[in-house]
Each structure stands twice: as structure tokens, then as C-alpha cells.
């Protein structure tokens, strides 16, 4: 009886070890399919997608298939892309920009969703600011590109102290832009500037609205706004000849039409999102309990050529934006 019992224990231990090795082998053989829905092609979002893809492929190699889709600036296309991801039963969706995140949330409440290049998650998730804990409680988390807005507003006093009226130019269809402009406008008024708000519904009326603004203000603020980023050249072609300097919400827009910005690295932001994706896919992290992450540092930057063209001297503490050779 004693010998039989020992055999049972030995067999049980062997079976347990075999099962454990089997689970390890299965884990090592596990492959993942990840869908990326990017709202539009421009430098900031492109860098975030690149960082995300690099992070996952560095960690998983050929065990991850990343399907990148671009919605060409159309929210309806985001919905179509997300619906295809759901039909394909991807393991995770990365939503690059707020409209992409909203489409992903509408498309699935089961597949983990990570956003990036999303400024304010409480706004995107329609959660009152006072109730926002940093965790969604649903199948959503990600990274935020929001810079300290009070510090962006302070740049007007630092660089353009003689300006009287500041125009705030943004796309009214982007909730995050609304939040940024409201916050910056309050800070500008407190600093003694007059403000005027100029909104465009989409790229079709951006030229006419920008032309109107350029004739009525001394300087402009353009937030982290996807429509503005995609049409920065149009804004610059109107504002620079009119002598209107722009302080921008991020480096890509600043390179396209601005004089200065408080900048983050969108590549690093996307990379962090990729690390979060790995944690969800491989380590089984609960996305609903993951805190939204923020850029680790912000840098004051300026566009040297545009500042020179407009006769603007930037104070110490600003770094020149690197230009492509």
C-alpha cells in the first residue's frame, strides 16, 4: 500500500511537471494579432505608431502581427477599421488619437484598447474631471500627450509680451482641442491678454477661418489638434506673411506653422504604449486597472527659421527644433 501510494504521488508529480512544461511551451508558442487604428498621417501620430510597433516587435519578434490602418482623417473610417479588427478577433487594439479611441470604444467592450496621442481621457470617456481616477474601469487605458497647459500659456508672456490679443484656433470636432483651448484661454486672460476663439469644423474651412483670425489678432495659439496638424502648411502660408506668430501644442504643428511649443516625444509616448500592450498580452495585466500614462518630460522648443523671419528673439531655455537635412 505504501509503495502504491508512492507511485501515485510520483505519477502525480510527473503529470504536474508535464502539464507545467506544456503550459510553458504553449506560452512560448503563443502568437498575437494587434490592430492599430491611426486617425490621420502626420508627424506626431506617425511617430507614436512607430514607437508602439518598435516596442512590441522588440519584445515579441515574429510572435506578434501588427496590422496598421490609417483612417485618412475621417472618423467614419475609424469605425470601419475597428469593426474589421473586431471581426478579425484581434487580441488588442491600439487607437492613435481621440477619434480612433472613440471608434474603438464603440466597436468593442471586450477587446483590450490602448489609446495614444489622446490628450484628456476623462473628456474622451465622458467622465467628470472630479470623478476621474486615472483608471477607466472598462477595457481602455493608454497614454496621454497632454503638456502642462499653463506653461504653454506662459510662453506668450515670455516670448510675445507686447501682444494684446491672442487668437485660439482649433477644430470644433475634436473634444480634446476644446478642453485645451478652454484651459489656455483662462490662463491667458489671467495673465492680462485679450482672447478671441476661432473654430473650424473641418479642413474645408480652415483657410477662411485662419485668414479672418490673422486679420484680427496679434498672435495665435493652436493646440494639439489633428486637423490643424494635417493642415499646418495652410495655416503657415496665411499667418507668416501676415506677421502673426503661433505658439503650438506640440512639435509637429510648431514645425509646420509655429514659433515655439512645449514638446514631448511622440515616439517615446508610443513606445510606452507598446510596453503597456506587452503587459496586457503576455502578463495578463487588467487594462481596466491600468493607469493612463503621461510623457515623462517636456521641453521648450522653437522653430529658428520662422522666428528669424518674424523678427522674434527667443529667451534662454528653449531648444531649436531639429530640421531635416
Amino acid at each position: 500500500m505504501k509503495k502504491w501510494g508512492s507511485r501515485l504521488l510520483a505519477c502525480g508529480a510527473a503529470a504536474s511537471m508535464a502539464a507545467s512544461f506544456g503550459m510553458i511551451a504553449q506560452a512560448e508558442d503563443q502568437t498575437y494579432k494587434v490592430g492599430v487604428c491611426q486617425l490621420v498621417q502626420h508627424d506626431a501620430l506617425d511617430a507614436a505608431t512607430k514607437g508602439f510597433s518598435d516596442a512590441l516587435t522588440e519584445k515579441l519578434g515574429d510572435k506578434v502581427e501588427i496590422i496598421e490602418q490609417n483612417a485618412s482623417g475621417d472618423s467614419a473610417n475609424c469605425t470601419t477599421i475597428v469593426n474589421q479588427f473586431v471581426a478579425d478577433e484581434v487580441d488588442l487594439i491600439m487607437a492613435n488619437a481621440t477619434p480612433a479611441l472613440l471608434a474603438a470604444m464603440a466597436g468593442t467592450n471586450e477587446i483590450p484598447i490602448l489609446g495614444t496621442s489622446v490628450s484628456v481621457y476623462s473628456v474622451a470617456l465622458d467622465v467628470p474631471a472630479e470623478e476621474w481616477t486615472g483608471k477607466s474601469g472598462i477595457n481602455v487605458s493608454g497614454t496621454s500627450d497632454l503638456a502642462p497647459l499653463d506653461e504653454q500659456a506662459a510662453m506668450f508672456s515670455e516670448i510675445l509680451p507686447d501682444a494684446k490679443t491672442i487668437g485660439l484656433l482649433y477644430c470644433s470636432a475634436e473634444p480634446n482641442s476644446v478642453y485645451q483651448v478652454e484651459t489656455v484661454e483662462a490662463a491667458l486672460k489671467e495673465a492680462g491678454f485679450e482672447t478671441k476663439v476661432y473654430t473650424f469644423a473641418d479642413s474645408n474651412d480652415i483657410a477662411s477661418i485662419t485668414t479672418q483670425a490673422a486679420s484680427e489678432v496679434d498672435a495665435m495659439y493652436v493646440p494639439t489638434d489633428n486637423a490643424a496638424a494635417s493642415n499646418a502648411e495652410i495655416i503657415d502660408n496665411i499667418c507668416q506673411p501676415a506677421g502673426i506668430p503661433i505658439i503650438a501644442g506640440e512639435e509637429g504643428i510648431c514645425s509646420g506653422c509655429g514659433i515655439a511649443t512645449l514638446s514631448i516625444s511622440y515616439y517615446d509616448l508610443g513606445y510606452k504604449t507598446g510596453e503597456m500592450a506587452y503587459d496586457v498580452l503576455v502578463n495578463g495585466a487588467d487594462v481596466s486597472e491600468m493607469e493612463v500614462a503621461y510623457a515623462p518630460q517636456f521641453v521648450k522648443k522653437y522653430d529658428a527659421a520662422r522666428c528669424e523671419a518674424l523678427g522674434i528673439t527667443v529667451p534662454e531655455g528653449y531648444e531649436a527644433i531639429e530640421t531635416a537635412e
Side-chain angles (χ1 to χ4, degrees):
M1 188 71 173
K2 190 173 182 180
K3 291 181 181 179
W4 182 248
S6 298
R7 274 185 203 170
L8 280 175
L9 288 171
C11 288
S16 177
M17 289 178 65
S20 297
F21 283 127
M23 289 176 66
I24 292 171
Q26 185 178 11
E28 290 178 348
D29 292 338
Q30 177 73 51
T31 58
Y32 306 94
K33 186 183 293 186
V34 174
V36 174
C37 178
Q38 180 175 321
L39 174 64
V40 67
Q41 183 176 2
H42 65 68
D43 289 347
L45 300 192
D46 291 350
T49 293
K50 181 70 164 57
F52 177 82
S53 178
D54 284 355
L56 273 185
T57 53
E58 283 174 17
K59 292 177 177 294
L60 291 170
D62 59 4
K63 291 186 173 119
V64 62
E65 177 187 2
I66 301 173
I67 308 164
E68 296 181 13
Q69 297 289 338
N70 194 296
S72 302
D74 190 337
S75 297
N77 288 343
C78 288
T79 299
T80 302
I81 291 167
V82 167
N83 288 343
Q84 187 60 56
F85 288 160
V86 173
D88 290 344
E89 298 182 346
V90 299
D91 298 296
L92 182 142
I93 294 173
M94 194 278 264
N96 194 346
T98 301
L101 180 67
L102 295 176
M105 289 167 55
T108 178
N109 59 8
E110 295 180 356
I111 297 172
I113 300 166
L114 291 176
T116 195
S117 314
V118 175
S119 299
V120 190
Y121 278 79
S122 60
V123 172
L125 274 61
D126 197 24
V127 176
E130 63 274 12
E131 296 178 15
W132 176 245
T133 65
K135 302 175 183 178
S136 71
I138 58 175
N139 61 318
V140 175
S141 188
T143 56
S144 168
D145 62 356
L146 186 66
L149 297 173
D150 56 340
E151 294 183 31
Q152 286 189 353
M155 288 181 170
F156 285 92
S157 297
E158 292 176 357
I159 303 175
L160 304 167
D162 296 330
K164 304 297 182 187
T165 303
I166 310 298
L168 301 115
L169 179 71
Y170 68 100
C171 179
S172 58
E174 298 193 28
N176 285 328
S177 297
V178 177
Y179 174 89
Q180 291 173 79
V181 164
E182 288 177 348
T183 304
V184 169
E185 183 177 26
L188 288 172
K189 286 181 176 179
E190 188 174 346
F193 293 101
E194 294 181 11
T195 61
K196 289 188 176 183
V197 174
Y198 300 89
T199 63
F200 52 91
D202 53 41
S203 59
N204 293 323
D205 58 351
I206 191 169
S208 61
I209 297 298
T210 302
T211 299
Q212 178 189 350
S215 69
E216 298 175 350
V217 302
D218 303 311
M220 286 192 208
Y221 173 73
V222 177
T224 302
D225 183 288
N226 292 296
S230 298
N231 294 276
E233 185 177 356
I234 293 174
I235 297 172
D236 187 50
N237 288 341
I238 294 168
C239 290
Q240 190 172 168
I244 303 298
I246 295 170
I247 289 178
E250 57 93 5
E251 185 174 333
I253 297 175
C254 187
S255 295
C257 64
I259 61 163
T261 184
L262 189 62
S263 179
I264 67 168
S265 166
Y266 275 84
Y267 178 88
D268 290 347
L269 199 69
Y271 196 95
K272 173 61 179 176
T273 315
E275 292 179 328
M276 294 171 75
Y278 178 85
D279 206 20
V280 171
L281 294 170
V282 178
N283 299 329
D286 182 354
V287 69
S288 70
E289 291 298 313
M290 297 179 82
E291 285 199 11
V292 168
Y294 293 82
Q297 62 180 354
F298 304 91
V299 181
K300 290 180 177 180
K301 291 194 172 185
Y302 72 101
D303 185 285
R306 196 168 288 109
C307 285
E308 182 178 357
L310 293 172
I312 293 170
T313 301
V314 176
E316 292 184 4
Y318 285 73
E319 295 181 8
I321 295 173
E322 294 183 6
T323 56
E325 295 295 336

